[in-house]
Amino acid sequence: MKTTRHGAVLGLIAAGALLLTACGSDNNTPAGNATSATSGAAAATPVECGGKAKLNAEGSSAQKNAIDTFIQAYKAKCSGQDLAYNASGSGAGVKNFNAGQVDFGGSDSPLSKDKGEVEAATKRCQSNPAWHLPLVFGPVAIGYKLEGVKDLVVNGDVAAKIFNGTIKKWNDPAIKALNGSATLPDKDIKVVYRSDESGTTDNFQKYLKAASKGAWTQGDGKQFKGGVGEGKEKSAGVAQAVGSVDGAVTYVELSFAQDNKLSIAKIDAGQGAVELTGESVGKSIEGAKIKGEGNDLVLDLDSIYATTTAGAYPLVLATYEIVCSKGYDPDVAKAVRAFLTVAATDGQAGLADAGYAPVPKAFQDKLLTAIKAIV
């Protein structure tokens, strides 16, 4: 990992790392060390290395930089072991996991029962259920490029109307009402969206549905349904496109917005404008609840999207590693357990520098229980 690439992100997330590792925990680790709680868990958690020498995984591009961090930690912990990750997007990750072409998939959304994904995953896992393991948390930015405007505020209603084409100009009265005396140009809004199937798109549209109070009626899903704008592939593609066009706006993970020097909108959920910071992300993740059963750790994020908690940034994405609970060949199961154990412990220490937030302690404990049970 190149620490210089994400240096700007570190300042945003590092404070949140303190909050997140303490979230829901009775661990009395000194607050001065942002990774001490995670490091303590890592030191106490044995890793049984071995099995398949090179795992294959595919999916979410939102977690690509986090997976790179996990791979480095895995190779350091388990000499001779490796993992190849193809950041092809959540849709492809689910499809190829269910087809048995990769050892696990990465998705920003849970498997869909209605689309047959749950049934297909059960078949792939030799008639055993697949589990969702939320290993990566990260904020999604409403990133934009607008000359002369660096401090933009939106809310759920305005964001929905921008991304479904109802609001077409940057000086629209609804935007001006949230931005006081700011000078907004009479310029067309150019929406850029993910053209490939994306869990980021699904999460963003679910946010718009929950937070817009009826303005977003287009639904959700991994395909963008706003009916406006220009599509680009993957997180890097949309961020690069916005960075090259004045008046453009998109939804994208924080690290990609930072990499492309995009301005990031504040979000007003009813308690004042909230900047995307480590602390504001931490307040949102504190409210995340698990709605899956047993070791299937599916999160209920609806309460986050529609939060009115003061100081909470509501656009937070959780990425799942989708694994077989049972049904792997023994050498694959052993390597999958080893990689995921390292990712949930040692690997978390490097996430702040890669633009993400470490998993809360309570989540880490649940993750390790689930990982240990994979066979």
mmCIF file with all atom_site columns, all heavy atoms in Angstrom, residues 142-146 149-153 170 242 245 247-250 261-266:
data_model
loop_
_atom_site.group_PDB
_atom_site.id
_atom_site.type_symbol
_atom_site.label_atom_id
_atom_site.label_alt_id
_atom_site.label_comp_id
_atom_site.label_asym_id
_atom_site.label_entity_id
_atom_site.label_seq_id
_atom_site.pdbx_PDB_ins_code
_atom_site.Cartn_x
_atom_site.Cartn_y
_atom_site.Cartn_z
_atom_site.occupancy
_atom_site.B_iso_or_equiv
_atom_site.pdbx_formal_charge
_atom_site.auth_seq_id
_atom_site.auth_comp_id
_atom_site.auth_asym_id
_atom_site.auth_atom_id
_atom_site.pdbx_PDB_model_num
ATOM 1   N N   . ILE A 1 142 ? -20.704 12.128 -1.654  1.00 0.00 ? 142 ILE A N   1
ATOM 2   C CA  . ILE A 1 142 ? -21.318 12.790 -2.805  1.00 0.00 ? 142 ILE A CA  1
ATOM 3   C C   . ILE A 1 142 ? -20.241 13.755 -3.306  1.00 0.00 ? 142 ILE A C   1
ATOM 4   O O   . ILE A 1 142 ? -20.051 14.851 -2.770  1.00 0.00 ? 142 ILE A O   1
ATOM 5   C CB  . ILE A 1 142 ? -22.616 13.522 -2.424  1.00 0.00 ? 142 ILE A CB  1
ATOM 6   C CG1 . ILE A 1 142 ? -23.660 12.500 -1.944  1.00 0.00 ? 142 ILE A CG1 1
ATOM 7   C CG2 . ILE A 1 142 ? -23.156 14.312 -3.617  1.00 0.00 ? 142 ILE A CG2 1
ATOM 8   C CD1 . ILE A 1 142 ? -24.972 13.118 -1.501  1.00 0.00 ? 142 ILE A CD1 1
ATOM 9   N N   . GLY A 1 143 ? -19.500 13.278 -4.290  1.00 0.00 ? 143 GLY A N   1
ATOM 10  C CA  . GLY A 1 143 ? -18.348 14.016 -4.791  1.00 0.00 ? 143 GLY A CA  1
ATOM 11  C C   . GLY A 1 143 ? -18.714 14.850 -6.000  1.00 0.00 ? 143 GLY A C   1
ATOM 12  O O   . GLY A 1 143 ? -19.467 14.404 -6.871  1.00 0.00 ? 143 GLY A O   1
ATOM 13  N N   . TYR A 1 144 ? -18.174 16.051 -6.073  1.00 0.00 ? 144 TYR A N   1
ATOM 14  C CA  . TYR A 1 144 ? -18.534 16.946 -7.173  1.00 0.00 ? 144 TYR A CA  1
ATOM 15  C C   . TYR A 1 144 ? -17.345 17.822 -7.552  1.00 0.00 ? 144 TYR A C   1
ATOM 16  O O   . TYR A 1 144 ? -16.367 17.955 -6.804  1.00 0.00 ? 144 TYR A O   1
ATOM 17  C CB  . TYR A 1 144 ? -19.726 17.826 -6.781  1.00 0.00 ? 144 TYR A CB  1
ATOM 18  C CG  . TYR A 1 144 ? -19.434 18.829 -5.683  1.00 0.00 ? 144 TYR A CG  1
ATOM 19  C CD1 . TYR A 1 144 ? -19.089 20.143 -5.981  1.00 0.00 ? 144 TYR A CD1 1
ATOM 20  C CD2 . TYR A 1 144 ? -19.480 18.465 -4.338  1.00 0.00 ? 144 TYR A CD2 1
ATOM 21  C CE1 . TYR A 1 144 ? -18.807 21.066 -4.978  1.00 0.00 ? 144 TYR A CE1 1
ATOM 22  C CE2 . TYR A 1 144 ? -19.195 19.360 -3.327  1.00 0.00 ? 144 TYR A CE2 1
ATOM 23  C CZ  . TYR A 1 144 ? -18.865 20.671 -3.651  1.00 0.00 ? 144 TYR A CZ  1
ATOM 24  O OH  . TYR A 1 144 ? -18.574 21.582 -2.659  1.00 0.00 ? 144 TYR A OH  1
ATOM 25  N N   . LYS A 1 145 ? -17.452 18.412 -8.723  1.00 0.00 ? 145 LYS A N   1
ATOM 26  C CA  . LYS A 1 145 ? -16.493 19.429 -9.161  1.00 0.00 ? 145 LYS A CA  1
ATOM 27  C C   . LYS A 1 145 ? -17.283 20.631 -9.646  1.00 0.00 ? 145 LYS A C   1
ATOM 28  O O   . LYS A 1 145 ? -18.061 20.528 -10.607 1.00 0.00 ? 145 LYS A O   1
ATOM 29  C CB  . LYS A 1 145 ? -15.602 18.904 -10.282 1.00 0.00 ? 145 LYS A CB  1
ATOM 30  C CG  . LYS A 1 145 ? -14.549 19.926 -10.726 1.00 0.00 ? 145 LYS A CG  1
ATOM 31  C CD  . LYS A 1 145 ? -13.622 19.361 -11.787 1.00 0.00 ? 145 LYS A CD  1
ATOM 32  C CE  . LYS A 1 145 ? -12.567 20.386 -12.183 1.00 0.00 ? 145 LYS A CE  1
ATOM 33  N NZ  . LYS A 1 145 ? -11.637 19.861 -13.221 1.00 0.00 ? 145 LYS A NZ  1
ATOM 34  N N   . LEU A 1 146 ? -17.125 21.724 -8.943  1.00 0.00 ? 146 LEU A N   1
ATOM 35  C CA  . LEU A 1 146 ? -17.883 22.934 -9.290  1.00 0.00 ? 146 LEU A CA  1
ATOM 36  C C   . LEU A 1 146 ? -17.016 24.139 -8.964  1.00 0.00 ? 146 LEU A C   1
ATOM 37  O O   . LEU A 1 146 ? -16.756 24.436 -7.786  1.00 0.00 ? 146 LEU A O   1
ATOM 38  C CB  . LEU A 1 146 ? -19.195 22.979 -8.497  1.00 0.00 ? 146 LEU A CB  1
ATOM 39  C CG  . LEU A 1 146 ? -20.196 24.067 -8.880  1.00 0.00 ? 146 LEU A CG  1
ATOM 40  C CD1 . LEU A 1 146 ? -20.630 23.929 -10.338 1.00 0.00 ? 146 LEU A CD1 1
ATOM 41  C CD2 . LEU A 1 146 ? -21.409 24.021 -7.958  1.00 0.00 ? 146 LEU A CD2 1
ATOM 42  N N   . VAL A 1 149 ? -17.044 26.610 -5.776  1.00 0.00 ? 149 VAL A N   1
ATOM 43  C CA  . VAL A 1 149 ? -17.912 26.090 -4.707  1.00 0.00 ? 149 VAL A CA  1
ATOM 44  C C   . VAL A 1 149 ? -17.229 24.895 -4.059  1.00 0.00 ? 149 VAL A C   1
ATOM 45  O O   . VAL A 1 149 ? -17.165 23.806 -4.640  1.00 0.00 ? 149 VAL A O   1
ATOM 46  C CB  . VAL A 1 149 ? -19.304 25.683 -5.251  1.00 0.00 ? 149 VAL A CB  1
ATOM 47  C CG1 . VAL A 1 149 ? -20.180 25.159 -4.119  1.00 0.00 ? 149 VAL A CG1 1
ATOM 48  C CG2 . VAL A 1 149 ? -19.967 26.858 -5.958  1.00 0.00 ? 149 VAL A CG2 1
ATOM 49  N N   . LYS A 1 150 ? -16.741 25.085 -2.854  1.00 0.00 ? 150 LYS A N   1
ATOM 50  C CA  . LYS A 1 150 ? -16.014 24.024 -2.160  1.00 0.00 ? 150 LYS A CA  1
ATOM 51  C C   . LYS A 1 150 ? -16.722 23.582 -0.881  1.00 0.00 ? 150 LYS A C   1
ATOM 52  O O   . LYS A 1 150 ? -16.253 22.680 -0.199  1.00 0.00 ? 150 LYS A O   1
ATOM 53  C CB  . LYS A 1 150 ? -14.605 24.508 -1.798  1.00 0.00 ? 150 LYS A CB  1
ATOM 54  C CG  . LYS A 1 150 ? -13.758 24.904 -2.995  1.00 0.00 ? 150 LYS A CG  1
ATOM 55  C CD  . LYS A 1 150 ? -13.474 23.712 -3.906  1.00 0.00 ? 150 LYS A CD  1
ATOM 56  C CE  . LYS A 1 150 ? -12.557 24.098 -5.052  1.00 0.00 ? 150 LYS A CE  1
ATOM 57  N NZ  . LYS A 1 150 ? -12.331 22.965 -5.989  1.00 0.00 ? 150 LYS A NZ  1
ATOM 58  N N   . ASP A 1 151 ? -17.832 24.208 -0.549  1.00 0.00 ? 151 ASP A N   1
ATOM 59  C CA  . ASP A 1 151 ? -18.481 23.943 0.737   1.00 0.00 ? 151 ASP A CA  1
ATOM 60  C C   . ASP A 1 151 ? -19.979 23.743 0.540   1.00 0.00 ? 151 ASP A C   1
ATOM 61  O O   . ASP A 1 151 ? -20.799 24.450 1.122   1.00 0.00 ? 151 ASP A O   1
ATOM 62  C CB  . ASP A 1 151 ? -18.212 25.105 1.694   1.00 0.00 ? 151 ASP A CB  1
ATOM 63  C CG  . ASP A 1 151 ? -18.488 24.739 3.143   1.00 0.00 ? 151 ASP A CG  1
ATOM 64  O OD1 . ASP A 1 151 ? -18.422 23.547 3.475   1.00 0.00 ? 151 ASP A OD1 1
ATOM 65  O OD2 . ASP A 1 151 ? -18.789 25.661 3.932   1.00 0.00 ? 151 ASP A OD2 1
ATOM 66  N N   . LEU A 1 152 ? -20.332 22.762 -0.268  1.00 0.00 ? 152 LEU A N   1
ATOM 67  C CA  . LEU A 1 152 ? -21.725 22.523 -0.634  1.00 0.00 ? 152 LEU A CA  1
ATOM 68  C C   . LEU A 1 152 ? -22.443 21.687 0.419   1.00 0.00 ? 152 LEU A C   1
ATOM 69  O O   . LEU A 1 152 ? -21.878 20.751 0.987   1.00 0.00 ? 152 LEU A O   1
ATOM 70  C CB  . LEU A 1 152 ? -21.773 21.793 -1.977  1.00 0.00 ? 152 LEU A CB  1
ATOM 71  C CG  . LEU A 1 152 ? -23.155 21.559 -2.590  1.00 0.00 ? 152 LEU A CG  1
ATOM 72  C CD1 . LEU A 1 152 ? -23.721 22.867 -3.126  1.00 0.00 ? 152 LEU A CD1 1
ATOM 73  C CD2 . LEU A 1 152 ? -23.057 20.521 -3.709  1.00 0.00 ? 152 LEU A CD2 1
ATOM 74  N N   . VAL A 1 153 ? -23.718 22.023 0.670   1.00 0.00 ? 153 VAL A N   1
ATOM 75  C CA  . VAL A 1 153 ? -24.574 21.255 1.570   1.00 0.00 ? 153 VAL A CA  1
ATOM 76  C C   . VAL A 1 153 ? -25.765 20.718 0.787   1.00 0.00 ? 153 VAL A C   1
ATOM 77  O O   . VAL A 1 153 ? -26.399 21.440 0.008   1.00 0.00 ? 153 VAL A O   1
ATOM 78  C CB  . VAL A 1 153 ? -25.084 22.126 2.744   1.00 0.00 ? 153 VAL A CB  1
ATOM 79  C CG1 . VAL A 1 153 ? -26.007 21.306 3.653   1.00 0.00 ? 153 VAL A CG1 1
ATOM 80  C CG2 . VAL A 1 153 ? -23.923 22.695 3.543   1.00 0.00 ? 153 VAL A CG2 1
ATOM 81  N N   . TRP A 1 170 ? -27.264 23.991 -10.813 1.00 0.00 ? 170 TRP A N   1
ATOM 82  C CA  . TRP A 1 170 ? -26.612 24.138 -9.527  1.00 0.00 ? 170 TRP A CA  1
ATOM 83  C C   . TRP A 1 170 ? -27.174 25.304 -8.713  1.00 0.00 ? 170 TRP A C   1
ATOM 84  O O   . TRP A 1 170 ? -27.042 25.321 -7.485  1.00 0.00 ? 170 TRP A O   1
ATOM 85  C CB  . TRP A 1 170 ? -25.110 24.307 -9.712  1.00 0.00 ? 170 TRP A CB  1
ATOM 86  C CG  . TRP A 1 170 ? -24.410 23.009 -9.985  1.00 0.00 ? 170 TRP A CG  1
ATOM 87  C CD1 . TRP A 1 170 ? -23.837 22.602 -11.148 1.00 0.00 ? 170 TRP A CD1 1
ATOM 88  C CD2 . TRP A 1 170 ? -24.227 21.934 -9.057  1.00 0.00 ? 170 TRP A CD2 1
ATOM 89  N NE1 . TRP A 1 170 ? -23.314 21.342 -11.017 1.00 0.00 ? 170 TRP A NE1 1
ATOM 90  C CE2 . TRP A 1 170 ? -23.532 20.901 -9.737  1.00 0.00 ? 170 TRP A CE2 1
ATOM 91  C CE3 . TRP A 1 170 ? -24.572 21.729 -7.719  1.00 0.00 ? 170 TRP A CE3 1
ATOM 92  C CZ2 . TRP A 1 170 ? -23.185 19.706 -9.118  1.00 0.00 ? 170 TRP A CZ2 1
ATOM 93  C CZ3 . TRP A 1 170 ? -24.223 20.535 -7.110  1.00 0.00 ? 170 TRP A CZ3 1
ATOM 94  C CH2 . TRP A 1 170 ? -23.542 19.536 -7.807  1.00 0.00 ? 170 TRP A CH2 1
ATOM 95  N N   . VAL A 1 242 ? -15.834 12.668 -13.048 1.00 0.00 ? 242 VAL A N   1
ATOM 96  C CA  . VAL A 1 242 ? -16.263 13.894 -12.378 1.00 0.00 ? 242 VAL A CA  1
ATOM 97  C C   . VAL A 1 242 ? -15.092 14.856 -12.232 1.00 0.00 ? 242 VAL A C   1
ATOM 98  O O   . VAL A 1 242 ? -15.241 16.076 -12.408 1.00 0.00 ? 242 VAL A O   1
ATOM 99  C CB  . VAL A 1 242 ? -16.876 13.564 -11.001 1.00 0.00 ? 242 VAL A CB  1
ATOM 100 C CG1 . VAL A 1 242 ? -17.138 14.846 -10.205 1.00 0.00 ? 242 VAL A CG1 1
ATOM 101 C CG2 . VAL A 1 242 ? -18.176 12.787 -11.182 1.00 0.00 ? 242 VAL A CG2 1
ATOM 102 N N   . VAL A 1 245 ? -14.690 17.186 -15.342 1.00 0.00 ? 245 VAL A N   1
ATOM 103 C CA  . VAL A 1 245 ? -15.799 17.965 -15.900 1.00 0.00 ? 245 VAL A CA  1
ATOM 104 C C   . VAL A 1 245 ? -16.367 18.921 -14.848 1.00 0.00 ? 245 VAL A C   1
ATOM 105 O O   . VAL A 1 245 ? -16.899 18.478 -13.821 1.00 0.00 ? 245 VAL A O   1
ATOM 106 C CB  . VAL A 1 245 ? -16.928 17.036 -16.413 1.00 0.00 ? 245 VAL A CB  1
ATOM 107 C CG1 . VAL A 1 245 ? -18.094 17.871 -16.942 1.00 0.00 ? 245 VAL A CG1 1
ATOM 108 C CG2 . VAL A 1 245 ? -16.413 16.106 -17.498 1.00 0.00 ? 245 VAL A CG2 1
ATOM 109 N N   . GLY A 1 247 ? -18.992 20.994 -13.005 1.00 0.00 ? 247 GLY A N   1
ATOM 110 C CA  . GLY A 1 247 ? -20.443 20.851 -12.900 1.00 0.00 ? 247 GLY A CA  1
ATOM 111 C C   . GLY A 1 247 ? -20.891 19.418 -12.685 1.00 0.00 ? 247 GLY A C   1
ATOM 112 O O   . GLY A 1 247 ? -22.083 19.148 -12.546 1.00 0.00 ? 247 GLY A O   1
ATOM 113 N N   . ALA A 1 248 ? -19.937 18.480 -12.618 1.00 0.00 ? 248 ALA A N   1
ATOM 114 C CA  . ALA A 1 248 ? -20.290 17.066 -12.502 1.00 0.00 ? 248 ALA A CA  1
ATOM 115 C C   . ALA A 1 248 ? -20.427 16.655 -11.038 1.00 0.00 ? 248 ALA A C   1
ATOM 116 O O   . ALA A 1 248 ? -19.846 17.262 -10.131 1.00 0.00 ? 248 ALA A O   1
ATOM 117 C CB  . ALA A 1 248 ? -19.249 16.206 -13.192 1.00 0.00 ? 248 ALA A CB  1
ATOM 118 N N   . VAL A 1 249 ? -21.194 15.585 -10.811 1.00 0.00 ? 249 VAL A N   1
ATOM 119 C CA  . VAL A 1 249 ? -21.417 15.070 -9.465  1.00 0.00 ? 249 VAL A CA  1
ATOM 120 C C   . VAL A 1 249 ? -21.617 13.564 -9.543  1.00 0.00 ? 249 VAL A C   1
ATOM 121 O O   . VAL A 1 249 ? -22.126 13.052 -10.548 1.00 0.00 ? 249 VAL A O   1
ATOM 122 C CB  . VAL A 1 249 ? -22.638 15.755 -8.804  1.00 0.00 ? 249 VAL A CB  1
ATOM 123 C CG1 . VAL A 1 249 ? -23.927 15.438 -9.568  1.00 0.00 ? 249 VAL A CG1 1
ATOM 124 C CG2 . VAL A 1 249 ? -22.780 15.362 -7.332  1.00 0.00 ? 249 VAL A CG2 1
ATOM 125 N N   . THR A 1 250 ? -21.218 12.857 -8.495  1.00 0.00 ? 250 THR A N   1
ATOM 126 C CA  . THR A 1 250 ? -21.402 11.414 -8.447  1.00 0.00 ? 250 THR A CA  1
ATOM 127 C C   . THR A 1 250 ? -21.488 10.960 -7.003  1.00 0.00 ? 250 THR A C   1
ATOM 128 O O   . THR A 1 250 ? -21.379 11.759 -6.061  1.00 0.00 ? 250 THR A O   1
ATOM 129 C CB  . THR A 1 250 ? -20.261 10.673 -9.169  1.00 0.00 ? 250 THR A CB  1
ATOM 130 O OG1 . THR A 1 250 ? -20.621 9.294  -9.357  1.00 0.00 ? 250 THR A OG1 1
ATOM 131 C CG2 . THR A 1 250 ? -18.958 10.744 -8.377  1.00 0.00 ? 250 THR A CG2 1
ATOM 132 N N   . LYS A 1 261 ? -9.347  14.292 -6.141  1.00 0.00 ? 261 LYS A N   1
ATOM 133 C CA  . LYS A 1 261 ? -9.440  15.679 -5.666  1.00 0.00 ? 261 LYS A CA  1
ATOM 134 C C   . LYS A 1 261 ? -10.836 16.276 -5.870  1.00 0.00 ? 261 LYS A C   1
ATOM 135 O O   . LYS A 1 261 ? -10.985 17.450 -6.244  1.00 0.00 ? 261 LYS A O   1
ATOM 136 C CB  . LYS A 1 261 ? -8.373  16.551 -6.342  1.00 0.00 ? 261 LYS A CB  1
ATOM 137 C CG  . LYS A 1 261 ? -6.950  16.123 -6.001  1.00 0.00 ? 261 LYS A CG  1
ATOM 138 C CD  . LYS A 1 261 ? -5.919  17.013 -6.685  1.00 0.00 ? 261 LYS A CD  1
ATOM 139 C CE  . LYS A 1 261 ? -4.510  16.712 -6.198  1.00 0.00 ? 261 LYS A CE  1
ATOM 140 N NZ  . LYS A 1 261 ? -4.110  15.304 -6.358  1.00 0.00 ? 261 LYS A NZ  1
ATOM 141 N N   . LEU A 1 262 ? -11.862 15.461 -5.626  1.00 0.00 ? 262 LEU A N   1
ATOM 142 C CA  . LEU A 1 262 ? -13.233 15.947 -5.728  1.00 0.00 ? 262 LEU A CA  1
ATOM 143 C C   . LEU A 1 262 ? -13.619 16.692 -4.454  1.00 0.00 ? 262 LEU A C   1
ATOM 144 O O   . LEU A 1 262 ? -13.156 16.366 -3.360  1.00 0.00 ? 262 LEU A O   1
ATOM 145 C CB  . LEU A 1 262 ? -14.210 14.779 -5.935  1.00 0.00 ? 262 LEU A CB  1
ATOM 146 C CG  . LEU A 1 262 ? -13.954 13.851 -7.118  1.00 0.00 ? 262 LEU A CG  1
ATOM 147 C CD1 . LEU A 1 262 ? -15.101 12.843 -7.242  1.00 0.00 ? 262 LEU A CD1 1
ATOM 148 C CD2 . LEU A 1 262 ? -13.782 14.633 -8.411  1.00 0.00 ? 262 LEU A CD2 1
ATOM 149 N N   . SER A 1 263 ? -14.469 17.695 -4.584  1.00 0.00 ? 263 SER A N   1
ATOM 150 C CA  . SER A 1 263 ? -15.088 18.301 -3.412  1.00 0.00 ? 263 SER A CA  1
ATOM 151 C C   . SER A 1 263 ? -16.139 17.332 -2.887  1.00 0.00 ? 263 SER A C   1
ATOM 152 O O   . SER A 1 263 ? -16.726 16.561 -3.650  1.00 0.00 ? 263 SER A O   1
ATOM 153 C CB  . SER A 1 263 ? -15.737 19.638 -3.786  1.00 0.00 ? 263 SER A CB  1
ATOM 154 O OG  . SER A 1 263 ? -14.769 20.557 -4.263  1.00 0.00 ? 263 SER A OG  1
ATOM 155 N N   . ILE A 1 264 ? -16.376 17.375 -1.584  1.00 0.00 ? 264 ILE A N   1
ATOM 156 C CA  . ILE A 1 264 ? -17.303 16.431 -0.955  1.00 0.00 ? 264 ILE A CA  1
ATOM 157 C C   . ILE A 1 264 ? -18.406 17.206 -0.252  1.00 0.00 ? 264 ILE A C   1
ATOM 158 O O   . ILE A 1 264 ? -18.132 18.063 0.602   1.00 0.00 ? 264 ILE A O   1
ATOM 159 C CB  . ILE A 1 264 ? -16.573 15.518 0.047   1.00 0.00 ? 264 ILE A CB  1
ATOM 160 C CG1 . ILE A 1 264 ? -15.525 14.681 -0.694  1.00 0.00 ? 264 ILE A CG1 1
ATOM 161 C CG2 . ILE A 1 264 ? -17.554 14.620 0.791   1.00 0.00 ? 264 ILE A CG2 1
ATOM 162 C CD1 . ILE A 1 264 ? -14.617 13.894 0.226   1.00 0.00 ? 264 ILE A CD1 1
ATOM 163 N N   . ALA A 1 265 ? -19.645 16.928 -0.617  1.00 0.00 ? 265 ALA A N   1
ATOM 164 C CA  . ALA A 1 265 ? -20.776 17.645 -0.043  1.00 0.00 ? 265 ALA A CA  1
ATOM 165 C C   . ALA A 1 265 ? -21.001 17.247 1.409   1.00 0.00 ? 265 ALA A C   1
ATOM 166 O O   . ALA A 1 265 ? -20.835 16.088 1.791   1.00 0.00 ? 265 ALA A O   1
ATOM 167 C CB  . ALA A 1 265 ? -22.037 17.367 -0.854  1.00 0.00 ? 265 ALA A CB  1
ATOM 168 N N   . LYS A 1 266 ? -21.391 18.219 2.216   1.00 0.00 ? 266 LYS A N   1
ATOM 169 C CA  . LYS A 1 266 ? -21.898 17.932 3.553   1.00 0.00 ? 266 LYS A CA  1
ATOM 170 C C   . LYS A 1 266 ? -23.358 17.498 3.424   1.00 0.00 ? 266 LYS A C   1
ATOM 171 O O   . LYS A 1 266 ? -24.044 17.862 2.472   1.00 0.00 ? 266 LYS A O   1
ATOM 172 C CB  . LYS A 1 266 ? -21.794 19.168 4.441   1.00 0.00 ? 266 LYS A CB  1
ATOM 173 C CG  . LYS A 1 266 ? -20.368 19.655 4.677   1.00 0.00 ? 266 LYS A CG  1
ATOM 174 C CD  . LYS A 1 266 ? -20.363 20.920 5.512   1.00 0.00 ? 266 LYS A CD  1
ATOM 175 C CE  . LYS A 1 266 ? -18.942 21.445 5.711   1.00 0.00 ? 266 LYS A CE  1
ATOM 176 N NZ  . LYS A 1 266 ? -18.924 22.700 6.498   1.00 0.00 ? 266 LYS A NZ  1
#
